[in-house]
């Protein structure tokens, strides 16, 4: 099979999806061990650890995606100076900002814990320890992200997934082992720091071994000026900062307004659904350097955009439809009756929000490819502002359901305007987006939803849940094969080649 641009795209997506499949399997198997081992209160603090490291990641000021763009462009144009300049500016951004932020967090942890929690002294002391572990882990996280961004720019998604799998396996499996051995919250948080240190060393080692020699072999060129790199980084940083508000600050709202137990009841299903964001992110990550190569727009950009959008929807909509219908049985079997009773409808609203979020992924790649990084920040801030307003209005009245409702509105409202703007940018008519982008996957997903609604009441255990899920998958695959365009069938052949055939 000839190695075309489409083949490279779907092969790289295949690497990403195969890695994410293993990550999802680890989480599904081990999160219940950690939740039940720590208890709802202490697991809420463990959620805070992860959320805080995500907050700290924003202090690289957007350098990650900027690095991917300029490294991909430099390699595509055989401009060694551009690759080396991007590496240097990126290293400065990933080192300076996170170092200052982590130091401030470590020093200010007692005051932050006192503001955030109103529980007993023991809980506040544990929160201080968790925040300081997050500060230490944030330094290693930043180093790993620098290495990963260089690897992504080189389009070595096989190496990226080695880092991802190692980091996830170390963090999640290690936490489960520590809990089972009686290490408790203190042992889990210390292990989190150590696991991120190992992941950072791995990412830097893979960059040094496989990417750096390629960059050094390229001839000198025009390079990347510091001002240009900074402009791109800050534009994208504004968007990533808003995304943190949209997808992480909800946890602070709950922790401050309710309890750590309530936070756990929300965060576990929300984290599962946010894990599904990896699917659009994986495809978008591959699309960014490809659309940056295209650069000029026109027919090529429109064709690649529609094909990538369909490909994403073909993969994600059946997962979302299945989760929406089977959420009560899944949460009860996976985590217990408390989750099955109190978390179902918030989780279902988040499923719908995830469907809307997915539409933005390929639009973001198109905006970067057409040199509109500010658009991503604009829509992200629209989502953040809608989130904050909606949470303020709905959380006091509806609690967990109010958080999920705010998140849903934050996706639906800005996405409507954003897609319209991106489609004008690439010259894509509204009708064509529906007929060539949305219609076929949406029809199959609605058919699957109808089938599952007819049969879901029969699910009374894991065997029945798995059987119905398998039946739904076969039904959807047949429907998709009948309705898919010929180029979509070819895309899935490339995907299978990317998953099962080594490069």
């Amino acid at each position: 099979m000839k190695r075309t641009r489409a083949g490279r795209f779907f092969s790289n997506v295949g690497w990403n999806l195969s890695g994410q499949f293993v990550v999802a399997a680890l989480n599904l198997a081990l999160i219940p061990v950690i939740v039940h081992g720590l208890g709802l209160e202490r697991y809420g603090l463990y959620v805070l650890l992860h959320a805080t490291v995500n907050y700290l990641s924003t202090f690289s000021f957007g350098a990650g995606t900027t690095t991917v763009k300029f490294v991909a462009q430099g390699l595509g144009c055989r401009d060694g100076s551009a690759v080396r300049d991007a590496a240097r500016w990126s290293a400065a951004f990933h080192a300076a900002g996170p170092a200052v932020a982590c130091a401030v967090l470590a020093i200010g942890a007692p005051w932050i814990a006192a503001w955030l929690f109103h529980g007993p002294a023991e809980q506040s002391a544990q929160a201080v320890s968790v925040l300081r572990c997050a500060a230490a882990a944030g330094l290693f996280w930043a180093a790993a992200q620098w290495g990963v961004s260089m690897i992504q720019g080189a389009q070595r998604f096989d190496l990226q997934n080695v880092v991802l799998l190692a980091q996830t396996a170390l963090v999640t499996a290690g936490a489960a082992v520590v809990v089972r051995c009686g290490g408790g919250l203190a042992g889990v948080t210390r292990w989190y720091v150590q696991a991120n240190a190992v992941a950072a060393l791995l990412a830097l080692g893979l960059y040094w071994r496989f990417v750096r020699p390629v960059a050094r072999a390229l001839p000198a060129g025009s390079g990347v000026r510091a001002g240009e790199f900074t402009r791109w980084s800050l534009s994208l940083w504004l968007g990533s900062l808003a995304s943190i508000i949209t997808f992480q600050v909800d946890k602070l709202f709950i922790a401050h307004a309710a309890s750590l137990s309530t936070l756990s009841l929300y965060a576990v299903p929300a984290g599962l659904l946010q894990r599904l964001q990896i699917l659009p992110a994986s495809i978008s990550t591959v699309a960014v350097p490809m659309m940056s190569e295209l650069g000029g727009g026109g027919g090529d950009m429109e064709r690649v955009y529609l094909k990538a959008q369909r490909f994403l929807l073909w993969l994600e909509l059946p997962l979302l439809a299945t989760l929406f219908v089977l959420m009560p049985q899944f949460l009860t079997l996976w985590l217990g009756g408390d989750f099955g009773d109190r978390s179902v409808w918030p989780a279902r609203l988040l499923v719908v929000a995830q469907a809307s979020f997915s539409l933005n992924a390929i639009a973001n790649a198109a905006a970067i490819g057409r040199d509109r990084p500010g658009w991503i920040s604009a829509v992200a801030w629209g989502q953040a502002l809608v989130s904050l307003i909606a949470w303020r209005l709905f959380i006091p009245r509806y609690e967990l359901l109010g958080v999920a409702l705010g998140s849903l509105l934050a996706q639906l409202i800005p996405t409507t305007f954003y897609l319209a703007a991106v489609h004008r940018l690439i010259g894509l008519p509204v009708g064509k987006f529906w007929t060539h982008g949305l219609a076929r996957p949406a029809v199959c997903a609605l058919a699957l939803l109808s089938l599952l609604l007819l049969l879901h009441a029969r699910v009374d255990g894991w065997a029945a849940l798995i059987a119905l899920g398998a039946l739904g998958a076969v039904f959807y695959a047949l429907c998709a094969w009948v309705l898919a365009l010929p180029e979509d069938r070819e895309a899935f052949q490339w995907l299978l080649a990317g998953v099962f055939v080594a490069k």
Side-chain angles (χ1 to χ4, degrees), residues 22-190:
V22 177
V23 169
L26 282 171
N27 284 324
L28 286 173
L30 298 177
I31 283 179
V33 176
I34 302 171
V35 171
H36 296 308
L38 292 177
L40 290 180
E41 290 283 338
R42 286 188 292 275
Y43 188 80
L45 288 171
Y46 185 61
V47 169
L48 178 66
L49 172 69
H50 288 267
T52 303
V53 173
N54 281 325
Y55 302 147
L56 293 172
S57 69
T58 63
F59 288 93
S60 59
F61 298 105
T65 305
T66 303
T67 304
V68 175
K69 173 182 172 60
F70 283 113
V71 169
Q73 283 186 342
L75 292 174
C77 299
R78 297 191 56 77
D79 182 349
S81 298
V83 178
R84 293 187 286 272
D85 287 346
R88 182 165 61 251
W89 307 134
S90 177
F93 273 75
H94 279 93
V100 173
C102 291
V104 170
L105 175 62
I107 295 169
W111 291 274
I112 297 171
W115 168 80
L116 192 58
F117 302 109
H118 308 289
E122 180 186 1
Q123 187 181 91
S124 295
Q126 288 178 330
V128 171
S129 176
V130 165
L131 291 172
R132 284 177 171 162
C133 283
L139 295 173
F140 296 119
W141 180 275
Q145 289 309 297
W146 178 82
V148 166
S149 65
M150 294 296 300
I151 291 169
Q152 287 178 344
Q155 301 194 55
R156 288 300 305 270
F157 292 96
D158 51 342
L159 302 180
Q160 173 208 340
N161 279 284
V162 168
V163 178
L164 171 69
L165 291 175
Q167 187 175 37
T168 301
L170 286 170
V171 169
T172 307
V177 171
V178 170
V179 167
R180 292 297 296 269
C181 293
L185 181 64
V188 168
T189 53
R190 287 195 299 269

Side-chain angles (χ1 to χ4, degrees), residues 221-288:
S222 57
V224 178
R225 295 186 300 274
E228 184 180 13
F229 189 95
T230 301
R231 176 178 64 83
W232 268 87
S233 290
L234 292 179
S235 296
L236 293 171
W237 171 69
L238 291 173
S240 66
L241 183 61
S243 295
I244 289 292
I245 295 174
T246 304
F247 296 112
Q248 297 296 334
V249 172
D250 51 355
K251 300 174 180 62
L252 291 183
F253 268 81
I254 298 170
H256 184 66
S259 68
L260 287 171
S261 295
T262 304
L263 173 59
S264 294
L265 289 170
Y266 176 83
V268 175
L272 170 68
L273 291 166
Q274 285 183 13
R275 176 61 60 184
L276 291 182
Q277 292 178 7
I278 297 296
L279 181 56
S282 296
I283 297 174
S284 179
T285 296
V286 177
V288 166

Side-chain angles (χ1 to χ4, degrees), residues 204-376:
L204 297 176
L206 290 175
Y207 157 74
W208 193 269
R209 172 65 178 83
F210 293 101
V211 179
R212 185 173 178 269
V214 175
R216 288 175 63 86
L218 294 176
S222 57
V224 178
R225 295 186 300 274
E228 184 180 13
F229 189 95
T230 301
R231 176 178 64 83
W232 268 87
S233 290
L234 292 179
S235 296
L236 293 171
W237 171 69
L238 291 173
S240 66
L241 183 61
S243 295
I244 289 292
I245 295 174
T246 304
F247 296 112
Q248 297 296 334
V249 172
D250 51 355
K251 300 174 180 62
L252 291 183
F253 268 81
I254 298 170
H256 184 66
S259 68
L260 287 171
S261 295
T262 304
L263 173 59
S264 294
L265 289 170
Y266 176 83
V268 175
L272 170 68
L273 291 166
Q274 285 183 13
R275 176 61 60 184
L276 291 182
Q277 292 178 7
I278 297 296
L279 181 56
S282 296
I283 297 174
S284 179
T285 296
V286 177
V288 166
M290 182 164 291
M291 290 193 178
S292 296
E293 283 183 7
L294 290 173
D300 245 7
M301 179 74 79
E302 176 187 298
R303 182 181 58 80
V304 171
Y305 175 86
L306 287 171
K307 190 172 184 179
Q309 192 73 267
R310 286 195 311 274
F311 182 70
L312 169 58
L313 294 175
W314 281 125
L315 292 176
E316 187 163 48
L317 287 183
L319 297 174
L320 296 178
T322 302
L323 278 174
F324 184 89
V325 176
L326 299 179
M327 190 64 73
Q329 294 93 333
F330 174 74
L331 288 179
T332 300
L333 292 169
W334 187 38
L335 295 165
D338 285 341
F339 287 89
D341 292 337
R342 298 180 57 187
S343 302
V344 168
W345 275 105
R348 280 176 164 168
L349 291 183
L350 291 177
V351 168
V352 181
Q354 172 63 26
S356 179
F357 171 84
S358 298
L359 295 176
N360 285 348
I362 308 303
N364 288 344
I368 291 175
R370 294 299 303 274
D371 292 331
R372 301 295 197 281
W375 287 23
I376 299 173

